[in-house]
Amino acid sequence: MAKFEESQYERDRMLAQQQNVPDADGFVTVVRRGRHTKNTDGAVSVKVLSAEDAREAGAKKKEVVFGNMYKFQMRERKNNQLVELRKKFEEDKDRIARMRQARQFRPY
């Protein structure tokens, strides 16, 4: 029984140590322990970033683009792609016709 209590005490102690430690991404895992208990150890720390660190942190954020959220947007995008393909086809057809006129067209 003493071994079990000792292992329980060790497990609780490890969980308490890991409670307010940020992970690799800088997030702190918050665990609800009970109705009236506190999840913090009472220590508050403020970190001052240099201008370079602030720029790096801002550069890491990706800009979210919602371009194809609605059905009409997908339909417009598909129609625009078809128009582009048709335009390229016509340009290629004209280029081949010019090459045939110049007798430089050798498909094989």
Side-chain angles (χ1 to χ4, degrees):
M1 192 67 171
K3 281 186 178 181
F4 176 74
E5 289 176 358
E6 186 177 327
S7 66
Q8 287 293 99
Y9 172 74
E10 187 66 29
R11 186 178 63 87
D12 290 342
R13 190 176 65 77
M14 292 297 291
L15 288 175
Q17 276 183 340
Q18 294 174 354
Q19 187 172 0
N20 292 317
V21 177
D23 60 357
D25 295 332
F27 292 101
V28 176
T29 304
V30 179
V31 180
R32 182 177 176 156
R33 290 186 148 199
R35 188 169 201 182
H36 298 290
T37 60
K38 295 181 180 179
N39 285 331
T40 62
D41 58 356
V44 177
S45 63
V46 178
K47 184 178 179 184
V48 178
L49 294 177
S50 66
E52 183 178 323
D53 292 338
R55 270 188 246 114
E56 288 176 6
K60 289 180 184 177
K61 295 180 182 177
K62 293 182 181 178
E63 190 172 319
V64 179
V65 178
F66 296 106
N68 298 328
M69 187 171 169
Y70 298 105
K71 193 169 187 173
F72 77 91
Q73 290 173 327
M74 288 186 262
R75 191 169 47 240
E76 284 179 356
R77 183 178 52 86
K78 191 181 289 186
N79 286 339
N80 289 340
Q81 287 177 345
L82 285 174
V83 167
E84 285 292 317
L85 282 173
R86 287 183 184 127
K87 189 173 95 174
K88 287 181 183 178
F89 175 72
E90 292 297 324
E91 289 173 359
D92 288 344
K93 202 161 72 169
D94 293 340
R95 185 174 52 87
I96 289 172
R98 284 194 309 267
M99 289 172 75
R100 280 187 178 151
Q101 286 290 336
R103 299 274 186 204
Q104 294 177 355
F105 182 70
R106 294 183 189 101
Y108 303 108

